């Protein structure tokens, strides 16, 4: 039996987004977002896919930059923690920056805030030093 959108928990919504990412279904992720979503993390000088992206178009831009700039070699959400309208995801990733050929590996934490079944914001805490080294 399929769970309707109205009865899905915030945890299920975020888990669906990660499943969409694993399948390369970026449109699915965008559809989980509110029209005015704020998506991002800390700005890293010289890294175009860092900082904030706004609206569904911004989320699409982020994922386009991600795929054009990084060959992801490992991406694993390891733990999902939900409380009310907040879902925190702890994970690990590794990749190769296409333009420099340098690799990176890091643990990360994504904080998702939801309202009425839609992602209002996503902030990713990551190792900005490792990212900056890989892009330089």
């Amino acid at each position: 039996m399929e769970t309707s959108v109205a009865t899905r928990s915030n945890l299920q919504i975020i888990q669906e987004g990660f499943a969409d990412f694993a399948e390369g279904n970026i449109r699915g992720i965008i559809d989980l977002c509110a029209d005015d979503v704020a998506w991002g993390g800390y700005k890293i000088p010289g890294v175009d896919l860092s900082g904030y992206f706004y609206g569904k178009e911004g989320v699409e831009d982020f994922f386009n930059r991600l795929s054009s700039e990084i060959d992801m070699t490992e991406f694993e959400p390891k733990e999902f923690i939900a409380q009310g309208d907040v879902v925190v995801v702890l994970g690990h990733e590794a990749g190769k920056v296409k333009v420099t050929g340098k690799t990176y590996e890091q643990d990360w934490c994504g904080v998702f805030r939801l309202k009425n079944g839609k992602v209002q914001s996503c902030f990713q805490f990551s190792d900005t030093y490792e990212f900056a080294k890989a892009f330089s």
Side-chain angles (χ1 to χ4, degrees):
M1 177 181 217
E2 189 173 323
T3 305
S4 74
V5 173
T7 60
R8 288 184 303 171
S9 71
N10 289 332
L11 175 61
Q12 290 170 318
I13 292 166
I14 298 304
Q15 288 172 327
E16 179 182 327
F18 278 91
D20 285 337
F21 182 72
E23 296 169 1
N25 180 13
I26 303 309
R27 176 56 45 202
I29 297 169
I30 293 166
D31 289 343
L32 295 174
C33 294
D35 290 339
D36 61 347
V37 62
W39 190 284
Y42 295 115
K43 179 69 180 157
I44 306 166
V47 180
D48 289 340
L49 63 89
S50 68
Y52 263 99
F53 296 81
Y54 297 96
K56 290 183 176 189
E57 298 81 15
V59 174
E60 183 174 20
D61 185 26
F62 168 79
F63 282 105
N64 286 337
R65 291 180 190 204
L66 181 66
S67 67
S68 69
E69 296 180 21
I70 294 177
D71 283 324
M72 195 75 65
T73 57
E74 183 182 343
F75 186 83
E76 182 183 5
K78 293 185 172 191
E79 192 171 351
F80 292 83
I81 305 158
Q83 181 175 351
D85 290 335
V86 178
V87 179
V88 176
V89 184
L90 305 176
H92 183 81
E93 72 180 65
K96 180 178 178 181
V97 177
K98 293 178 182 180
V99 71
T100 66
K102 295 179 182 178
T103 60
Y104 72 94
E105 188 171 347
Q106 66 179 345
D107 291 324
W108 50 262
C109 172
V111 178
F112 297 86
R113 296 185 185 279
L114 295 93
K115 183 177 179 184
N116 298 325
K118 293 289 186 179
V119 176
Q120 294 292 306
S121 68
C122 166
F123 189 90
Q124 179 147 338
F125 295 89
S126 61
D127 190 336
T128 55
Y129 178 71
E130 284 299 316
F131 233 48
K133 282 192 336 185
F135 272 88
S136 63

